[in-house]
Amino acid sequence: MDVGAAIVLVVLVFVLLGAGVWIGLALMGVAWIGMELFSPRPVGDAMAVTIWGASSSWTLTALPLFVWMGEILFRTRLSEDMFNGLAPWLERIPGRLLHTNILGCTLFAAVSGSSAATCATIGKMTLPELAKRGYPESMAIGTLAGAGTLGLLIPPSIIMIVYGVTASVSIAQLFIAGVIPGLVIAGMFMAYTIVWSLLHPDAIPRPERRLTLIEKLKASRHLFPVVALILAVLGSIYTGIATATEAAALGVVGALLVAASQGVLSWRTFVESLLGATRLYCMIALILAGAAFLTLAMGYIGLPRHLAEWIHGLGLSPLALMLALMVFYIVLGCFLDGISVVVLTMGVVLPTVQAAGIDLIWFGVFLVLVVEMAQITPPVGFNLFVLQGMTGKEITWIARHAAPLFVLLIAAVLLIYYFPGLVTWLPRQMM
Amino acid sequence: MRALLDKIYLGAGYLAGFFMVLILLSILTGIAGRLFGIDTPGMDAYAGYSMAASSFLALAYTLRRGEHIRVTLILQQLGPRGRYALELFAHAAAVCLSFALAWFSVRLVWQSYVFNDVSQGLDATPLWIPQIGMAVGAVLLLIAFVQGLVELLITRRTVEGREVTAPIE
């Protein structure tokens, strides 16, 4: 009966999603049919109450605000500023301006919650500038695709808010937990770029005129707005002055101030950013609504508990469990976007994770890492879509050149497995 | 008819944007209240209600703009006839599901009103009031999907306005 229920539900998920039913509605459909078949509870009213509760929960309010903040910053000159501020410092490192991709994404990730937005905002500046200077296209696009995924890991992070709300974990702690792994991965990406450049010395253009230290410092003033925003958002969370939601509100105000100071804040750009954020959040909200209902239905059917007991009974080692979950998420991530992957599986996987005694903050970071991989795996990967739109290259071409960074992300998962302190140390230092 | 409906969706989209601003203002009011020691009860709840209203009111508008995501992997592999058949299935399923969502969202408002359901938080809002946003948005989504299905049958365009046989981005 139980195995039967599981098979029916999995088949339903595949049929509805595969047929191209809008994802949030497809999840609702699976939940509805599952509940009708395997539970005596009346379905419709339970659905409406659950969806209302999930859609109006205040812990989630950080999400639309961070989305809006990203939409405002996308319309500012922040990416130009960051390029101009970073470039002078990178002429001596092998790979030179290729690092503007990685460092730019790392910095921007600290004010942006989404991988696609990070990719689009940084790439809007670096791709044309790198192409103009003759940098190899494959490396410019590949490193951007990979580094853009840091938008998810380095706080603020939309996916962490989604996970935190679903798993009832402190969003502020999750955010802070992502900082060190994010910096480590940025370091790994830079190391890869350096090694590649040393192996292909002819591919990297000659350095431009060396600037004096004073000139470099002067150029760095361009970085001031982004650094100020990072301090306002992350600083207020880390010191405990603000909750994640309040930090998001401050972030929106800060982004508006940056836009105003650059003279790009008109009524039109304000409304455009607002409607853009409204649509993007609405798309996410529909998926979250469907997922909330699906989680409820799964709970009634008792599937997650049985799955947890079954996996527990297998007696897997923690490493084996983690590797199995990683493979499972990578496969799922090939066909679905990150948020859908998380919300679709959370209700089922979480009891298993808890039964295995895995720290939920650590698991959140693990989950973000595998979702990062999902952003750059074909055929469905949002960073690939963004870069396809920007460069006109084939998705498979982009994915091939992002593949080394995909491998580095897998290495990062092993790293946080063997050194869990990378994740758990910083949140413990919070007040 | 079509132009009128699109205007309604757009209007609801602007309203959704207005509620997005209200989320921000509710949170900022809460922060300001704490800074200046003024009691501002229930601001968290108002932010949540605004968020629900914003997301639901924007549903139809976002749908017509083609920004609700779905898996197009199989659609892309099919020939024109198979694609049309599958689109029909997806649109019909969406009509059924959005009907269920709309029906029970409206019923939720009605039940909250009849049973005088009040928020458990400090705001003590009668819940049927904020739930109206959800009901209106869900009904608009249903209308948009019904319109989408009809247009698919007549003009062979999807609810996003894409030709069934056109390449998918």
PDB file of all heavy atoms in Angstrom, chain A residues 25-43:
ATOM      1  N   LEU A  25       1.008  24.712  -9.905  1.00  0.00           N
ATOM      2  CA  LEU A  25      -0.271  24.020 -10.070  1.00  0.00           C
ATOM      3  C   LEU A  25      -0.067  22.510 -10.133  1.00  0.00           C
ATOM      4  O   LEU A  25      -0.880  21.742  -9.623  1.00  0.00           O
ATOM      5  CB  LEU A  25      -0.971  24.500 -11.345  1.00  0.00           C
ATOM      6  CG  LEU A  25      -1.517  25.924 -11.305  1.00  0.00           C
ATOM      7  CD1 LEU A  25      -2.089  26.305 -12.660  1.00  0.00           C
ATOM      8  CD2 LEU A  25      -2.574  26.084 -10.228  1.00  0.00           C
ATOM      9  N   ALA A  26       1.016  22.085 -10.766  1.00  0.00           N
ATOM     10  CA  ALA A  26       1.289  20.648 -10.855  1.00  0.00           C
ATOM     11  C   ALA A  26       1.457  20.059  -9.457  1.00  0.00           C
ATOM     12  O   ALA A  26       0.916  18.983  -9.160  1.00  0.00           O
ATOM     13  CB  ALA A  26       2.545  20.403 -11.694  1.00  0.00           C
ATOM     14  N   LEU A  27       2.171  20.780  -8.586  1.00  0.00           N
ATOM     15  CA  LEU A  27       2.357  20.287  -7.220  1.00  0.00           C
ATOM     16  C   LEU A  27       1.001  20.187  -6.515  1.00  0.00           C
ATOM     17  O   LEU A  27       0.717  19.224  -5.801  1.00  0.00           O
ATOM     18  CB  LEU A  27       3.296  21.201  -6.430  1.00  0.00           C
ATOM     19  CG  LEU A  27       4.715  21.359  -6.987  1.00  0.00           C
ATOM     20  CD1 LEU A  27       5.586  22.165  -6.039  1.00  0.00           C
ATOM     21  CD2 LEU A  27       5.353  20.008  -7.246  1.00  0.00           C
ATOM     22  N   MET A  28       0.161  21.207  -6.734  1.00  0.00           N
ATOM     23  CA  MET A  28      -1.181  21.163  -6.152  1.00  0.00           C
ATOM     24  C   MET A  28      -1.940  19.945  -6.649  1.00  0.00           C
ATOM     25  O   MET A  28      -2.633  19.270  -5.876  1.00  0.00           O
ATOM     26  CB  MET A  28      -1.976  22.417  -6.545  1.00  0.00           C
ATOM     27  CG  MET A  28      -1.809  23.578  -5.594  1.00  0.00           C
ATOM     28  SD  MET A  28      -2.753  24.990  -6.215  1.00  0.00           S
ATOM     29  CE  MET A  28      -1.569  26.282  -5.936  1.00  0.00           C
ATOM     30  N   GLY A  29      -1.829  19.665  -7.921  1.00  0.00           N
ATOM     31  CA  GLY A  29      -2.543  18.536  -8.496  1.00  0.00           C
ATOM     32  C   GLY A  29      -2.099  17.213  -7.879  1.00  0.00           C
ATOM     33  O   GLY A  29      -2.926  16.373  -7.517  1.00  0.00           O
ATOM     34  N   VAL A  30      -0.783  17.040  -7.737  1.00  0.00           N
ATOM     35  CA  VAL A  30      -0.270  15.808  -7.127  1.00  0.00           C
ATOM     36  C   VAL A  30      -0.803  15.680  -5.705  1.00  0.00           C
ATOM     37  O   VAL A  30      -1.272  14.616  -5.292  1.00  0.00           O
ATOM     38  CB  VAL A  30       1.275  15.816  -7.117  1.00  0.00           C
ATOM     39  CG1 VAL A  30       1.801  14.593  -6.390  1.00  0.00           C
ATOM     40  CG2 VAL A  30       1.809  15.868  -8.533  1.00  0.00           C
ATOM     41  N   ALA A  31      -0.741  16.789  -4.965  1.00  0.00           N
ATOM     42  CA  ALA A  31      -1.198  16.760  -3.573  1.00  0.00           C
ATOM     43  C   ALA A  31      -2.683  16.406  -3.513  1.00  0.00           C
ATOM     44  O   ALA A  31      -3.113  15.589  -2.697  1.00  0.00           O
ATOM     45  CB  ALA A  31      -0.952  18.120  -2.913  1.00  0.00           C
ATOM     46  N   TRP A  32      -3.450  17.031  -4.398  1.00  0.00           N
ATOM     47  CA  TRP A  32      -4.892  16.815  -4.401  1.00  0.00           C
ATOM     48  C   TRP A  32      -5.220  15.341  -4.648  1.00  0.00           C
ATOM     49  O   TRP A  32      -5.955  14.707  -3.875  1.00  0.00           O
ATOM     50  CB  TRP A  32      -5.558  17.698  -5.468  1.00  0.00           C
ATOM     51  CG  TRP A  32      -7.045  17.639  -5.405  1.00  0.00           C
ATOM     52  CD1 TRP A  32      -7.844  16.587  -5.738  1.00  0.00           C
ATOM     53  CD2 TRP A  32      -7.922  18.660  -4.942  1.00  0.00           C
ATOM     54  NE1 TRP A  32      -9.161  16.890  -5.521  1.00  0.00           N
ATOM     55  CE2 TRP A  32      -9.240  18.163  -5.030  1.00  0.00           C
ATOM     56  CE3 TRP A  32      -7.722  19.966  -4.468  1.00  0.00           C
ATOM     57  CZ2 TRP A  32     -10.352  18.915  -4.665  1.00  0.00           C
ATOM     58  CZ3 TRP A  32      -8.821  20.710  -4.112  1.00  0.00           C
ATOM     59  CH2 TRP A  32     -10.127  20.185  -4.207  1.00  0.00           C
ATOM     60  N   ILE A  33      -4.675  14.807  -5.723  1.00  0.00           N
ATOM     61  CA  ILE A  33      -4.987  13.416  -6.067  1.00  0.00           C
ATOM     62  C   ILE A  33      -4.480  12.480  -4.987  1.00  0.00           C
ATOM     63  O   ILE A  33      -5.164  11.541  -4.580  1.00  0.00           O
ATOM     64  CB  ILE A  33      -4.389  13.068  -7.450  1.00  0.00           C
ATOM     65  CG1 ILE A  33      -5.003  13.981  -8.515  1.00  0.00           C
ATOM     66  CG2 ILE A  33      -4.633  11.610  -7.798  1.00  0.00           C
ATOM     67  CD1 ILE A  33      -4.388  13.852  -9.871  1.00  0.00           C
ATOM     68  N   GLY A  34      -3.274  12.745  -4.478  1.00  0.00           N
ATOM     69  CA  GLY A  34      -2.717  11.908  -3.425  1.00  0.00           C
ATOM     70  C   GLY A  34      -3.618  11.867  -2.208  1.00  0.00           C
ATOM     71  O   GLY A  34      -3.888  10.802  -1.651  1.00  0.00           O
ATOM     72  N   MET A  35      -4.122  13.042  -1.816  1.00  0.00           N
ATOM     73  CA  MET A  35      -4.970  13.089  -0.627  1.00  0.00           C
ATOM     74  C   MET A  35      -6.304  12.392  -0.867  1.00  0.00           C
ATOM     75  O   MET A  35      -6.829  11.696   0.003  1.00  0.00           O
ATOM     76  CB  MET A  35      -5.211  14.536  -0.216  1.00  0.00           C
ATOM     77  CG  MET A  35      -4.445  14.924   1.034  1.00  0.00           C
ATOM     78  SD  MET A  35      -4.680  16.637   1.454  1.00  0.00           S
ATOM     79  CE  MET A  35      -5.838  16.506   2.803  1.00  0.00           C
ATOM     80  N   GLU A  36      -6.868  12.597  -2.058  1.00  0.00           N
ATOM     81  CA  GLU A  36      -8.136  11.937  -2.380  1.00  0.00           C
ATOM     82  C   GLU A  36      -7.991  10.419  -2.300  1.00  0.00           C
ATOM     83  O   GLU A  36      -8.847   9.723  -1.797  1.00  0.00           O
ATOM     84  CB  GLU A  36      -8.593  12.315  -3.794  1.00  0.00           C
ATOM     85  CG  GLU A  36      -9.232  13.675  -3.944  1.00  0.00           C
ATOM     86  CD  GLU A  36     -10.630  13.752  -3.329  1.00  0.00           C
ATOM     87  OE1 GLU A  36     -11.131  12.737  -2.799  1.00  0.00           O
ATOM     88  OE2 GLU A  36     -11.209  14.852  -3.367  1.00  0.00           O
ATOM     89  N   LEU A  37      -6.870   9.921  -2.831  1.00  0.00           N
ATOM     90  CA  LEU A  37      -6.691   8.477  -2.924  1.00  0.00           C
ATOM     91  C   LEU A  37      -6.326   7.844  -1.593  1.00  0.00           C
ATOM     92  O   LEU A  37      -6.812   6.782  -1.252  1.00  0.00           O
ATOM     93  CB  LEU A  37      -5.594   8.153  -3.951  1.00  0.00           C
ATOM     94  CG  LEU A  37      -5.931   8.372  -5.424  1.00  0.00           C
ATOM     95  CD1 LEU A  37      -4.737   7.986  -6.286  1.00  0.00           C
ATOM     96  CD2 LEU A  37      -7.158   7.574  -5.826  1.00  0.00           C
ATOM     97  N   PHE A  38      -5.440   8.515  -0.848  1.00  0.00           N
ATOM     98  CA  PHE A  38      -4.812   7.806   0.275  1.00  0.00           C
ATOM     99  C   PHE A  38      -5.139   8.390   1.641  1.00  0.00           C
ATOM    100  O   PHE A  38      -4.524   8.025   2.625  1.00  0.00           O
ATOM    101  CB  PHE A  38      -3.287   7.777   0.090  1.00  0.00           C
ATOM    102  CG  PHE A  38      -2.872   7.187  -1.212  1.00  0.00           C
ATOM    103  CD1 PHE A  38      -2.276   7.958  -2.201  1.00  0.00           C
ATOM    104  CD2 PHE A  38      -3.095   5.837  -1.459  1.00  0.00           C
ATOM    105  CE1 PHE A  38      -1.895   7.409  -3.404  1.00  0.00           C
ATOM    106  CE2 PHE A  38      -2.712   5.284  -2.670  1.00  0.00           C
ATOM    107  CZ  PHE A  38      -2.123   6.072  -3.646  1.00  0.00           C
ATOM    108  N   SER A  39      -6.068   9.333   1.709  1.00  0.00           N
ATOM    109  CA  SER A  39      -6.388   9.874   3.029  1.00  0.00           C
ATOM    110  C   SER A  39      -7.868  10.204   3.090  1.00  0.00           C
ATOM    111  O   SER A  39      -8.454  10.626   2.096  1.00  0.00           O
ATOM    112  CB  SER A  39      -5.526  11.119   3.301  1.00  0.00           C
ATOM    113  OG  SER A  39      -6.318  12.177   3.749  1.00  0.00           O
ATOM    114  N   PRO A  40      -8.484   9.998   4.245  1.00  0.00           N
ATOM    115  CA  PRO A  40      -9.921  10.229   4.353  1.00  0.00           C
ATOM    116  C   PRO A  40     -10.281  11.700   4.557  1.00  0.00           C
ATOM    117  O   PRO A  40     -11.471  12.037   4.569  1.00  0.00           O
ATOM    118  CB  PRO A  40     -10.296   9.405   5.601  1.00  0.00           C
ATOM    119  CG  PRO A  40      -9.050   9.365   6.420  1.00  0.00           C
ATOM    120  CD  PRO A  40      -7.898   9.475   5.474  1.00  0.00           C
ATOM    121  N   ARG A  41      -9.277  12.586   4.689  1.00  0.00           N
ATOM    122  CA  ARG A  41      -9.573  13.981   5.015  1.00  0.00           C
ATOM    123  C   ARG A  41     -10.210  14.712   3.839  1.00  0.00           C
ATOM    124  O   ARG A  41      -9.887  14.442   2.698  1.00  0.00           O
ATOM    125  CB  ARG A  41      -8.270  14.710   5.378  1.00  0.00           C
ATOM    126  CG  ARG A  41      -7.531  14.086   6.519  1.00  0.00           C
ATOM    127  CD  ARG A  41      -8.103  14.505   7.830  1.00  0.00           C
ATOM    128  NE  ARG A  41      -7.968  15.923   8.032  1.00  0.00           N
ATOM    129  CZ  ARG A  41      -7.299  16.459   9.057  1.00  0.00           C
ATOM    130  NH1 ARG A  41      -6.694  15.689   9.913  1.00  0.00           N
ATOM    131  NH2 ARG A  41      -7.242  17.763   9.202  1.00  0.00           N
ATOM    132  N   PRO A  42     -11.143  15.646   4.115  1.00  0.00           N
ATOM    133  CA  PRO A  42     -11.655  16.488   3.027  1.00  0.00           C
ATOM    134  C   PRO A  42     -10.522  17.372   2.500  1.00  0.00           C
ATOM    135  O   PRO A  42      -9.756  17.936   3.288  1.00  0.00           O
ATOM    136  CB  PRO A  42     -12.740  17.326   3.691  1.00  0.00           C
ATOM    137  CG  PRO A  42     -12.468  17.245   5.152  1.00  0.00           C
ATOM    138  CD  PRO A  42     -11.745  15.962   5.402  1.00  0.00           C
ATOM    139  N   VAL A  43     -10.408  17.459   1.175  1.00  0.00           N
ATOM    140  CA  VAL A  43      -9.207  18.034   0.593  1.00  0.00           C
ATOM    141  C   VAL A  43      -9.263  19.550   0.454  1.00  0.00           C
ATOM    142  O   VAL A  43      -8.361  20.267   0.878  1.00  0.00           O
ATOM    143  CB  VAL A  43      -8.954  17.408  -0.799  1.00  0.00           C
ATOM    144  CG1 VAL A  43      -7.639  17.894  -1.362  1.00  0.00           C
ATOM    145  CG2 VAL A  43      -8.962  15.900  -0.699  1.00  0.00           C
TER     146      VAL A  43
END
